[in-house]
């Protein structure tokens, strides 16, 4: 099978963990290839996510690297064993791959924390809000407005699964007051957030303008918890697209950043009352 040209973010993450495992063992790719009975090029392809790795081969690599973290090996083996195509794959070739990677990250997350300052989190957006948002940016998304809306509507299904994960959304008042569409659209969006906040596992908290000490004006962060803390992932929005971060220092930085923002936010009941007040003012 030829190497993948564009591996997914999840495939790259699995590959990166195997590379880290080899490096902790102090082995070169040539040495790793010799122990596996293959060459350094194949090890390089595996560690770049360009080719997959079987469960049996992954466990052989872990054994060769003298990895004693059984939970980590089991978690990586489960990732390697995934054979079912996610629903998002139906959009490959229509939408940019980073959007598909976000959907996959949300679906596989064990829990999620997000912080948004000027945008409503994607999983909490009403359809009318989406349409206003994507229509405004139509020149940037070409003729795929309907596909983008359909895709984002399907992303919301993750909150309705039989086994929904914990989802905590911290939203600044600025995003709640932004009229992306007209007054009706703004009201529908606020009502939709209130409805979603009643779902099992969903917590919505608001940072009001009056909160002192908040300086995260540009924050747009999604923290996805993995099967193990070291397999957590942070997704941040940048000017030119998404970035996926998984370094230990990066994860710690964003855990702290989210915790600080959450400390400044109203509790869930106060946040619901606050959103109701904004809706009444429209």
């Amino acid at each position: 099978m030829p190497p993948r040209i564009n591996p997914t973010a999840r495939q790259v993450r699995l590959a990166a963990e195997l590379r880290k495992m080899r490096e902790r063992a102090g082995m070169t790719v040539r040495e790793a290839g010799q122990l596996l009975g293959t060459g350094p090029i194949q090890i390089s392809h595996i560690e770049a996510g360009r080719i997959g790795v079987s469960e049996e081969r992954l466990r052989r690599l872990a054994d060769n690297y003298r990895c004693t973290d059984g939970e980590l090996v089991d978690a990586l083996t489960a990732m390697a064993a995934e054979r079912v195509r996610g629903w998002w794959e139906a959009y490959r070739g229509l939408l940019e791959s980073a959007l598909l990677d976000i959907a996959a990250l949300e679906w596989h997350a064990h829990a999620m924390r997000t912080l948004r300052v000027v945008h409503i989190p994607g999983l909490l957006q009403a359809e009318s809000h989406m349409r206003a948002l994507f229509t405004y940016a139509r020149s940037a998304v070409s003729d795929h407005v309907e596909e983008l809306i359909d895709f984002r509507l399907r992303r919301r299904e993750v909150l309705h699964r039989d086994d929904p994960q914990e989802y905590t959304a911290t939203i600044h008042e600025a995003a709640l007051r932004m009229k992306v569409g007209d007054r009706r659209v703004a009201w529908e969006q606020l009502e939709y957030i209130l409805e979603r906040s009643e779902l099992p596992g969903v917590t919505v908290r608001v940072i009001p303008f009056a909160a002192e000490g908040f300086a995260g004006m540009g924050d747009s962060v999604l923290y996805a918890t993995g099967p193990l803390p070291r397999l957590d992932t942070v997704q941040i929005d940048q000017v030119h697209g998404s970035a996926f971060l998984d370094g230990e220092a990066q994860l710690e930085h964003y855990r702290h950043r989210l915790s600080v923002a959450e400390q400044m936010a109203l509790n869930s009941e106060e946040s619901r009352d606050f959103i109701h007040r904004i809706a009444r003012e429209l």
Side-chain angles (χ1 to χ4, degrees):
M1 183 178 295
R4 302 170 180 135
I5 298 175
N6 296 306
T8 66
R10 190 163 174 82
Q11 290 165 343
V12 169
R13 180 62 187 280
L14 171 61
E17 291 300 321
L18 291 175
R19 174 181 52 77
K20 293 176 187 177
M21 193 184 295
R22 173 183 59 76
E23 291 174 345
R24 283 193 293 269
M27 288 188 186
T28 66
V29 290
R30 183 173 298 280
E31 291 169 335
Q34 289 173 344
L35 288 173
L36 196 64
T38 185
I41 293 179
Q42 185 163 20
I43 297 296
S44 295
H45 280 327
I46 290 174
E47 292 183 357
R50 288 190 291 267
I51 62 175
V53 58
S54 67
E55 301 171 62
E56 185 273 336
R57 179 163 283 190
L58 189 151
R59 291 191 180 277
R60 280 182 59 195
L61 284 170
D63 187 56
N64 290 339
Y65 298 153
R66 300 292 188 268
C67 178
T68 59
D69 190 339
E71 289 186 333
L72 174 62
V73 174
D74 288 344
L76 296 179
T77 300
M79 290 175 67
E82 292 169 1
R83 295 291 180 268
V84 178
R85 287 165 55 89
W87 62 262
W88 49 88
E89 290 297 333
Y91 295 83
R92 192 166 296 282
L94 288 174
L95 305 180
E96 57 184 283
S97 59
L99 295 177
L100 279 58
D101 288 333
I102 293 172
L105 181 65
E106 293 168 340
W107 187 262
H108 290 289
H110 287 226
M112 290 185 281
R113 297 163 71 189
T114 188
L115 170 62
R116 294 291 188 270
V117 177
V118 295
H119 294 291
I120 301 298
L123 297 182
L124 298 180
Q125 289 181 7
E127 183 175 353
S128 57
H129 179 97
M130 297 177 198
R131 191 169 296 280
L133 180 67
F134 293 138
T135 300
Y136 174 81
R138 185 167 189 134
S139 60
V141 297
S142 186
D143 298 321
H144 296 311
V145 171
E146 295 305 321
E147 288 87 349
L148 280 164
I149 293 172
D150 183 65
F151 179 78
R152 188 158 289 187
L153 288 173
R154 293 206 62 181
R155 276 178 55 195
R156 301 188 313 188
E157 295 174 7
V158 72
L159 300 181
H160 298 272
R161 298 192 312 194
D162 294 335
D163 58 338
Q165 64 269 72
E166 293 292 319
Y167 178 74
T168 300
T170 304
I171 311 171
H172 196 276
E173 182 180 350
L176 298 173
R177 291 192 178 277
M178 197 84 67
K179 291 185 178 65
V180 172
D182 57 21
R183 177 179 174 278
R184 178 186 59 80
V185 171
W187 183 85
E188 288 178 355
Q189 177 58 70
L190 294 174
E191 287 297 309
Y192 188 78
I193 292 175
L194 290 170
E195 291 174 9
R196 297 307 91 183
S197 70
E198 296 179 351
L199 291 174
V202 175
T203 300
V204 175
R205 301 183 62 186
V206 175
I207 300 176
F209 281 124
E212 297 181 356
F214 181 76
M217 287 72 74
D219 281 340
S220 185
V221 180
L222 170 64
Y223 192 104
T225 301
L228 300 171
R230 66 186 300 170
L231 295 180
D232 293 353
T233 302
V234 171
Q235 180 267 325
I236 60 174
D237 291 338
Q238 298 181 320
V239 175
H240 299 293
S242 292
F244 296 82
L245 311 175
D246 54 51
E248 291 183 18
Q250 293 169 325
L251 294 176
E252 177 58 32
H253 170 77
Y254 282 102
R255 279 195 295 267
H256 174 72
R257 197 155 177 166
L258 285 166
S259 294
V260 169
E262 288 165 358
Q263 290 170 9
M264 295 179 177
L266 304 173
N267 64 35
S268 56
E269 184 175 347
E270 293 170 336
S271 295
R272 286 180 54 81
D273 291 341
F274 194 90
I275 295 171
H276 274 298
R277 289 201 300 273
I278 295 175
R280 287 196 298 269
E281 292 172 8
L282 289 172

